[in-house]
Amino acid sequence: MSEPYKLVDMAETGAAAVRTAFANQVAYCRANDAPVTARIVAALGTLLDKPATEFARRIADWQGPPLADALPLRAAGGLHALHLSGKSPALAPIYADADDINDATIVAGVVAGHEAALLPWLDGPPQTNEAGRSSNFIAAMLWLTEQGLPPHFDCLEIGSSAGINLMIDRYHYDLGGVQVGPEPGVMAFTPEWRGNHPPQHRIDFTGLKGCDVGPVDLTDPAQALRLKAYIWPEHTVRFERMEAAIAAATVKKPDIVRANAADFVEAALKKPQAKGTTRVLMHSIVWQYVPEDQQIRVTTAMEEAGAEATPDRPLAWIALEANRTVHQHELVVRYWPGGEASRMLGRAHAHGAWVEWMGS
């Protein structure tokens, strides 16, 4: 049985919060079929008992909120990169999920021997670009079309990372039997669908543009390795998707600018919107990384723009984000005019394996 989650304020700091963040991440990984990643995070957590390296000390003395900063995944990403690059063969037994080995001893030795390579992984949040999450965006757009909004979507994405979800128009989706997108598509998604299927409509895209504070170029092997390092090794299909995304970006790069979420949204909403299009802000598993002052600015900008929206130039907001209270990922939508109140359309697996649809 997986360990229970410990309830903690996302803004909590200090040594106890660091330990709770690691314990919660282990439990989360085990609950999401990621036993190897759970082993890595658990082994990293043992370094906190007697921090013997600068890497361990920096984690133990973390100054920010470790849960909001996804501190365990920053550290785990560094170890995974060492494994993927072949620079640390000692990690291979753990990543092979071998029995009868001492994970803590192996990880402590690797950290001591590769500290210079590992320290930079603590400097920024994980890049968790996952194409499977885009199924939720498509389902929400079908639902918005059912509400009477134009089926021509001008999409803005914050926290785009490498822009994998900005290539949404190149993918095919089977959502409970509802088919959307080109066939066969650069990638095809058939998540386990729970509940009624979403509405059946034809939709298209008039624009797909995103931002990130540190955009990733999929065509650069070193940057692509960084993204792969944040993929949980158990989830082989995600590596296959990453290779497909790299190939697609090589043909045509997604449109990403370097900007923070608030600056990007404020600027984008000031630009003219074509009649008969639905402008939509979308994001997935990124809101927790957006500073509070920027969250306020984004929300204010959307609500002010929404107040000026019209039926032939509507505005929508699609968010797939973690509810840290119940430890589930929720698909929530707002739209203007007429749907200003938040509406939860469903719950979903963090990496797109299933969708529990509640929109019908």
Side-chain angles (χ1 to χ4, degrees):
M1 179 180 292
S2 298
E3 296 87 343
Y5 294 105
K6 298 178 182 178
L7 296 180
V8 62
D9 186 338
M10 287 287 288
E12 186 176 341
T13 60
V18 170
R19 291 180 179 276
T20 297
F22 274 82
N24 277 6
Q25 190 63 59
V26 170
Y28 181 86
C29 289
R30 289 175 176 163
N32 284 272
D33 303 316
V36 171
T37 306
R39 289 175 64 169
I40 291 290
V41 174
L44 284 165
T46 65
L47 301 180
L48 303 177
D49 296 333
K50 294 181 180 179
T53 62
E54 178 59 27
F55 182 75
R57 285 190 291 271
R58 188 173 167 194
I59 293 172
D61 299 333
W62 195 253
Q63 297 302 299
L67 193 60
D69 290 342
L71 179 59
L73 293 182
R74 296 187 189 202
L79 289 177
H80 196 197
L82 288 175
H83 170 66
L84 290 173
S85 63
K87 294 179 179 178
S88 182
L91 289 169
I94 302 179
Y95 282 99
D97 203 16
D99 296 326
D100 301 322
I101 58 174
N102 190 316
D103 296 353
T105 299
I106 292 173
V107 167
V110 170
V111 169
H114 297 273
E115 191 163 33
L118 288 170
L119 279 168
W121 288 83
L122 300 179
D123 292 338
Q127 293 276 15
T128 56
N129 216 187
E130 171 48 54
R133 296 171 184 157
S134 63
S135 296
N136 294 270
F137 293 157
I138 292 293
M141 291 176 198
L142 294 173
W143 183 85
L144 288 168
T145 302
E146 183 78 359
Q147 310 315 303
L149 279 66
H152 313 295
F153 291 92
D154 180 14
C155 299
L156 307 168
E157 185 187 34
I158 58 174
S160 296
S161 186
I164 291 177
N165 287 325
L166 291 174
M167 298 188 286
I168 193 171
D169 58 332
R170 307 186 217 179
Y171 306 153
H172 182 79
Y173 301 87
D174 180 342
L175 308 179
V178 173
Q179 307 294 321
V180 180
E183 291 193 73
V186 170
M187 282 186 252
F189 300 96
T190 308
E192 177 190 340
W193 202 263
R194 303 172 182 177
N196 294 330
H197 62 70
Q200 174 76 71
H201 291 286
R202 293 183 62 86
I203 62 173
D204 58 46
F205 300 90
T206 63
L208 288 158
K209 190 178 184 68
C211 77
D212 200 276
V213 292
V216 177
D217 182 355
L218 280 174
T219 64
D220 179 343
Q223 295 186 55
L225 174 62
R226 183 173 180 83
L227 276 186
K228 292 176 184 178
Y230 288 122
I231 297 175
W232 292 350
E234 303 87 349
H235 299 168
T236 55
V237 68
R238 297 181 65 202
F239 286 94
E240 296 169 2
R241 290 174 182 170
M242 184 61 68
E243 294 299 335
I246 290 170
T250 301
V251 174
K252 180 183 178 183
K253 288 186 177 182
D255 188 359
I256 314 170
V257 298
R258 184 181 298 272
N260 69 46
D263 289 346
F264 174 77
V265 171
E266 289 171 348
L269 293 179
K270 292 177 182 177
K271 295 179 180 179
Q273 178 178 349
K275 184 177 180 180
T277 63
T278 297
R279 177 172 281 168
V280 57
L281 172 65
M282 61 188 193
H283 52 86
S284 58
I285 324 300
V286 70
W287 196 245
Q288 69 196 63
Y289 303 124
V290 178
E292 184 177 2
D293 63 319
Q294 290 187 41
Q295 291 182 4
I296 293 171
R297 286 172 58 193
V298 169
T299 302
T300 299
M302 288 294 290
E303 291 177 345
E304 289 180 349
E308 302 297 324
T310 62
D312 58 0
R313 290 185 176 87
L315 178 67
W317 189 348
I318 303 172
L320 176 68
E321 297 291 346
N323 181 328
R324 293 284 178 170
T325 301
V326 296
H327 298 282
Q328 293 180 329
H329 297 85
E330 298 175 343
L331 176 63
V332 177
V333 173
R334 299 176 68 184
Y335 68 90
W336 297 262
E340 293 81 0
S342 296
R343 169 73 181 268
M344 187 166 76
L345 297 184
R347 299 186 178 92
H349 184 273
H351 305 132
W354 54 264
V355 176
E356 180 186 354
W357 182 248
M358 302 159 61
S360 298

